[in-house]
Amino acid sequence: MAHQADNKRTRNASFANPQFQPSGTTLTLRDSSVRGPFRFLNPTTAIYEIKSNDSHPGATADLTDVENLQRAKVLWHARDYRKDERFRTVIVIVIVTDILYIVGRHVLVLPRASPLATRAHDSAHPHSVLVGIGRMFTLFPYWDISWLIGISFTIGCLIFVLCGLFYWLPIAYPSTEFSGESAIAGGVTAFIGATLFQVGAVLLFFESYNDRAETQFGGAMERLFVDRLKVARRSRNHRPKHFEAEPQEPKQLLSEPSDPKQLSPSSSQEDSNTPSDTFTERTWQWLPSWHDFTTHYIYEIGFLASLTMSIGATIFYIAGIMALPGIFDKLSDAGLYGGYYFTYLFGGVLFALSSMLYILETQPNWYTPQPLSLGWHIGFWNMVGSIGWTLAASFGYCKQEWCEYQSELTLIWASAAFALGSAFQWYESLDKYVVVIED
């Protein structure tokens, strides 16, 4: 009977491939917690219990509410697993002096009566949020592909807002119009915004199958230019540590830094006294193997969402190119409606589909929203923006004056909504240590 039950277990109720299952020497997976919104796709959320650690006897005591016999737990989410800045394969709790660090971007849930809860800030606390906003303007981890994605989308969408203003203001307030405002300024900003969007979408696709390797993007790019394209590089003594052109041996992931500052991308290369574990940090891959694609990634909601977004951005980019001065003003009706507005519309539809998948990725099932999740809001506001862009393109097929007015106005608020979601994504890329204190 047990064998029959295992055979009936759906794909979203277990990790089908052990190679991609998060694990750790101090963690135990709660089997009943593994779930996802679709039965035929991989799970998107799970809970890990924290076991006693003989090498850190005080650690679990700090994480335990002795009176109610509750211990902290770690929430695993597929999105966080893909978005981590440092090591993603193993979720490890490390106590350094009086500060808690989670290696990998996963959510540590602390009982409110646990000793550590009195010293740690909930990540949703106003102080933590303000610190996170401050990081956005003081930290520039250009080796981290997740950060590059957030920056590309945010700046690209803000340029789209500016583009919409160039198109809309001459209609709403003709007296403010200046020479070339719509034809030149509007067309050029549309092209620049679409270019940044295309860059962000391609990086998003790379990120989707490089879980546990995001911070190696900088080194991978350097190896591409140095080793394959034979572009001269800077002196080794002047290069940042994370730009390492030579192949590196995989590192074990359980570490105990003696200094909080060691929790940086470069510190992974300095720690050699690490206990063994079943997982190591992955190396960057420009394309996944066919085996991994057919057995794992094709069942990942995040991968499908990123693939859809990338295809949509490529199609959308055609509209950006056609908006350039010298091209747009020479389009025939067939080119205008069949080329410009159709790619604008179809790209928006694919963006909306991708955003919906990102929303579902954060949910334990398809019908339970997660408004307290930052990833959920990223998907939600991106979907609002995507629907707006689809509407803006749809108005283009209407020749009445009010349709043009609404088309350009919709472009403005849709771009602003997508910019908000992208800014959340930028914030998320720098918020690596998530703590939730619950009653």
Side-chain angles (χ1 to χ4, degrees):
M1 293 295 291
H3 179 70
Q4 293 179 355
D6 288 340
N7 288 338
K8 293 181 179 179
R9 176 175 286 191
T10 57
R11 190 178 184 95
N12 67 339
S14 65
F15 291 95
N17 190 339
Q19 176 187 353
F20 297 97
Q21 177 177 342
S23 67
T25 55
T26 59
L27 299 173
T28 301
L29 175 65
R30 187 189 296 177
D31 289 333
S32 60
S33 70
V34 181
R35 62 186 64 183
F38 298 113
R39 297 163 63 88
F40 54 89
L41 295 179
N42 290 337
T44 58
T45 184
I47 296 175
Y48 283 80
E49 307 289 354
I50 301 175
K51 299 184 294 185
S52 298
N53 190 339
D54 294 336
S55 62
H56 299 285
T60 51
D62 250 6
L63 302 171
T64 305
D65 175 1
V66 179
E67 182 177 348
N68 296 313
L69 300 178
Q70 293 180 336
R71 182 176 291 174
K73 56 183 178 287
V74 175
L75 301 184
W76 173 87
H77 296 295
R79 180 182 178 88
D80 294 334
Y81 195 60
R82 192 175 69 254
K83 292 284 184 179
D84 291 342
E85 178 189 33
R86 267 179 53 88
F87 303 128
R88 304 141 193 85
T89 47
V90 184
I91 311 167
V92 182
I93 304 303
V94 180
I95 302 298
V96 184
T97 62
D98 287 331
I99 305 173
L100 172 74
Y101 291 93
I102 307 176
V103 180
R105 191 185 191 279
H106 300 278
V107 181
L108 176 69
V109 181
L110 288 172
R112 187 168 297 278
S114 64
L116 188 59
T118 63
R119 305 195 299 273
H121 281 297
D122 191 304
S123 294
H125 190 278
H127 175 268
S128 299
V129 173
L130 289 175
V131 170
I133 295 174
R135 290 193 203 104
M136 296 172 68
F137 302 99
T138 55
L139 295 181
F140 310 97
Y142 53 90
W143 60 87
D144 185 346
I145 195 171
S146 298
W147 181 81
L148 291 173
I149 292 168
I151 286 290
S152 298
F153 280 140
T154 303
I155 297 177
C157 290
L158 291 177
I159 292 176
F160 276 139
V161 172
L162 182 62
C163 170
L165 289 172
F166 285 143
Y167 284 137
W168 178 72
L169 285 174
I171 302 172
Y173 303 97
S175 61
T176 65
E177 183 176 6
F178 58 85
S179 178
E181 182 173 3
S182 295
I184 299 178
V188 171
T189 51
F191 173 74
I192 296 174
T195 300
L196 287 173
F197 218 84
Q198 176 71 83
V199 170
V202 171
L203 295 178
L204 195 67
F205 181 61
F206 285 152
E207 179 198 52
S208 67
Y209 52 81
N210 274 292
D211 43 297
R212 299 174 278 155
E214 280 80 3
T215 57
Q216 296 189 25
F217 175 69
M221 284 297 295
E222 186 178 19
R223 284 192 293 274
L224 174 65
F225 280 96
V226 172
D227 299 336
R228 298 191 181 184
L229 303 182
K230 307 302 181 183
V231 177
R233 66 184 177 189
R234 291 171 289 161
S235 169
R236 180 180 177 86
N237 294 333
H238 297 284
R239 291 198 343 267
K241 287 186 177 181
H242 47 266
F243 268 49
E244 188 61 50
E246 291 75 13
Q248 301 177 26
E249 293 296 324
K251 300 292 183 180
Q252 303 293 345
L253 298 188
L254 180 58
S255 61
E256 183 187 355
S258 58
D259 188 335
K261 294 181 180 180
Q262 293 181 8
L263 286 173
S264 65
S266 60
S267 68
S268 63
Q269 302 176 19
E270 302 171 359
D271 186 11
S272 58
N273 300 320
T274 52
S276 62
D277 209 323
T278 57
F279 279 76
T280 55
E281 184 180 16
R282 291 177 52 185
T283 56
W284 179 270
Q285 55 182 347
W286 290 106
L287 284 175
S289 68
W290 181 251
H291 177 267
D292 288 349
F293 174 78
T294 56
T295 61
H296 176 71
Y297 290 113
I298 197 64
Y299 299 102
E300 283 284 299
I301 296 181
F303 175 84
L304 296 175
S306 298
L307 177 60
T308 304
M309 177 72 77
S310 298
I311 295 173
T314 302
I315 295 172
F316 192 75
Y317 194 37
I318 297 174
I321 295 173
M322 297 180 74
L324 283 169
I327 298 178
F328 186 81
D329 50 4
K330 294 180 180 179
L331 291 176
S332 63
D333 286 345
L336 181 65
Y337 297 120
Y340 177 78
Y341 281 118
F342 178 75
T343 54
Y344 190 174
L345 176 68
F346 192 30
V349 171
L350 291 180
F351 291 156
L353 175 59
S354 173
S355 301
M356 176 58 71
L357 290 174
Y358 282 130
I359 290 174
L360 292 171
E361 185 186 28
T362 67
Q363 300 182 178
N365 47 58
W366 67 267
Y367 54 85
T368 306
Q370 299 293 303
L372 299 181
S373 166
L374 183 61
W376 188 89
H377 278 280
I378 292 171
F380 175 80
W381 288 106
N382 284 358
M383 186 172 68
V384 171
S386 301
I387 293 173
W389 283 337
T390 305
L391 285 174
S394 301
F395 284 127
Y397 288 95
C398 172
K399 293 186 178 181
Q400 297 185 29
E401 185 176 346
W402 69 268
C403 292
E404 183 180 7
Y405 180 97
Q406 289 298 330
S407 178
E408 310 308 350
L409 182 60
T410 302
L411 172 61
I412 296 173
W413 65 255
S415 300
F418 211 108
L420 178 60
S422 300
F424 286 155
Q425 194 168 356
W426 177 9
Y427 177 97
E428 177 192 50
S429 72
L430 298 171
D431 185 28
K432 303 302 181 183
Y433 310 114
V434 184
V435 178
V436 174
I437 301 174
E438 67 175 9
D439 295 318

